[in-house]
Amino acid sequence: ANLINRDEKLTHHFGAHMSLESTDYLLGEIAHIVRQLLAKGAHEECLHMLERSLEIKTKLHGANSENVKAEQLELATVYHHMAVGLLHPHNEEKLSKVPKANLATAKKHLKMAELLTTHSPKQTQTSTQPELHHRRVRLRSSVLTELTCLYKHEGHLRAALQVATKALQLQDRNKLWEQKAATLLNIAALQSSLGKHELALHCAQKALDVVLQMEDDSFHMSCINLAQMPHPPEPSPEIRDKIFHAPLQVMCYMDIGTEYEHLHQYSTALENYQVAYKLAYMALGPQHPFTIKTKASYTEVFQKAVGK
């Protein structure tokens, strides 16, 4: 509160018609206060200060200036941080445990962050700060992913699909391959929930293709050979170091197996569950949740196949 009062006194002192020198001084003071507020974790107060700074910079430089875009990115970052804090307290992933009021507030914050990170193609092409553009793209990708999950949790599957498609286009255009793979899996889950299992399978397979392209070429063949091995290799640091995107790969094989199961192609489902389990076992360890889950899925589908 004292920091905000200090800002209001500064603004009042300089008045409505500030010189360029006094404006720069005021902006410098606001930036200093913002850093102090962030260090204290006072994000609500920080929003107030950044909005004040954005207003001044917009009047000074124009709405499309790089200075204003940089300030919008800072503001969007705080909105996103606040939303994530509401949706995932203590790193909790399940939205079902989040109070409805927090979900509603988080959605407002995410929509603000989405709005603040919107750039026209012309603005993107003319940007003179590649690092700023890269930060904006990665933040926007995260914002759209959180919105996708939030809409899915609310049961608004088509709205979630629209947002996920927007995220996918952004990630593909900017070569964010890991995020693209995760978004393809989100789209697969949404299509599956809508009963479109052929489309879901196609998306999950595309996600796997993206992930495998990020790994060493020889790893693709080793994944194929996993299904033919009677027992997975024992976990080792060498294996863990080699498989950079193991959790994502396990999810891909799991989702592919799930869709084949929905399509009643149990033998193919089993093959993918086998790879998922053995990959999880050797890369993540026998006690990892993914390892336990994939083994359970394999056992369940095996019983279905036997009873067929």
Side-chain angles (χ1 to χ4, degrees), residues 119-284:
H119 267 203
S120 69
K122 184 178 178 182
Q123 289 171 334
T124 300
Q125 291 169 4
T126 57
S127 176
T128 58
Q129 299 184 38
E131 184 181 344
L132 184 67
H133 169 70
H134 184 67
R135 282 180 57 209
R136 182 192 69 82
V137 165
R138 294 189 73 85
L139 176 61
R140 184 170 177 79
S141 173
S142 297
V143 168
L144 293 174
T145 298
E146 291 290 350
L147 272 174
T148 298
C149 296
L150 189 49
Y151 280 128
K152 182 175 184 288
H153 171 73
E154 293 176 336
H156 302 145
L157 301 183
R158 298 193 185 280
L161 198 54
Q162 287 181 342
V163 176
T165 302
K166 192 188 298 185
L168 185 64
Q169 292 168 347
L170 176 76
Q171 292 152 0
D172 191 45
R173 191 165 58 245
N174 291 278
K175 299 180 172 58
L176 301 177
W177 305 129
E178 189 170 352
Q179 291 88 335
K180 177 182 176 181
T183 297
L184 282 166
L185 290 180
N186 282 337
I187 293 174
L190 290 165
Q191 296 286 16
S192 187
S193 297
L194 291 166
K196 299 178 180 180
H197 299 297
E198 293 280 2
L199 277 174
L201 175 60
H202 176 67
C203 286
Q205 289 171 330
K206 281 179 68 176
L208 179 60
D209 289 341
V210 173
V211 176
L212 291 177
Q213 286 171 10
M214 293 189 289
E215 296 288 1
D216 185 89
D217 289 341
S218 63
F219 185 70
H220 192 165
M221 287 307 299
S222 65
C223 282
I224 294 172
N225 294 334
L226 271 176
Q228 301 170 356
M229 299 169 63
H231 302 287
E234 286 300 313
S236 71
E238 291 78 13
I239 292 174
R240 290 194 182 98
D241 290 342
K242 185 178 180 182
I243 307 171
F244 298 110
H245 306 94
L248 199 50
Q249 289 179 53
V250 172
M251 289 172 64
C252 288
Y253 283 109
M254 273 291 294
D255 285 5
I256 291 170
T258 299
E259 295 314 315
Y260 275 120
E261 185 181 350
H262 282 303
L263 295 167
H264 307 292
Q265 298 181 33
Y266 296 121
S267 61
T268 311
L270 280 173
E271 289 175 8
N272 283 278
Y273 284 143
Q274 269 191 324
V275 175
Y277 167 64
K278 292 172 182 176
L279 179 59
Y281 184 93
M282 72 178 190
L284 304 174

Side-chain angles (χ1 to χ4, degrees), residues 42-166:
H43 295 102
E44 291 280 0
E45 293 86 350
C46 188
L47 283 178
H48 171 81
M49 303 300 296
L50 285 170
E51 286 168 352
R52 179 70 62 86
S53 178
L54 179 60
E55 181 184 353
I56 295 170
K57 287 186 177 181
T58 301
K59 289 179 180 178
L60 193 63
H61 302 291
N64 293 321
S65 70
E66 294 286 349
N67 282 331
V68 168
K69 294 302 176 186
E71 199 70 12
Q72 286 177 334
L73 180 59
E74 295 304 321
L75 190 54
T77 301
V78 175
Y79 272 118
H80 176 252
H81 187 86
M82 291 174 64
V84 169
L86 289 168
L87 294 174
H88 309 292
H90 314 297
N91 294 320
E92 174 61 54
E93 291 297 322
K94 294 182 179 178
L95 295 183
S96 57
K97 297 183 178 180
V98 179
K100 287 184 178 180
N102 287 9
L103 290 173
T105 303
K107 184 191 283 188
K108 289 179 183 177
H109 290 338
L110 288 170
K111 286 185 173 180
M112 281 300 301
E114 182 189 6
L115 180 65
L116 288 163
T117 54
T118 302
H119 267 203
S120 69
K122 184 178 178 182
Q123 289 171 334
T124 300
Q125 291 169 4
T126 57
S127 176
T128 58
Q129 299 184 38
E131 184 181 344
L132 184 67
H133 169 70
H134 184 67
R135 282 180 57 209
R136 182 192 69 82
V137 165
R138 294 189 73 85
L139 176 61
R140 184 170 177 79
S141 173
S142 297
V143 168
L144 293 174
T145 298
E146 291 290 350
L147 272 174
T148 298
C149 296
L150 189 49
Y151 280 128
K152 182 175 184 288
H153 171 73
E154 293 176 336
H156 302 145
L157 301 183
R158 298 193 185 280
L161 198 54
Q162 287 181 342
V163 176
T165 302
K166 192 188 298 185

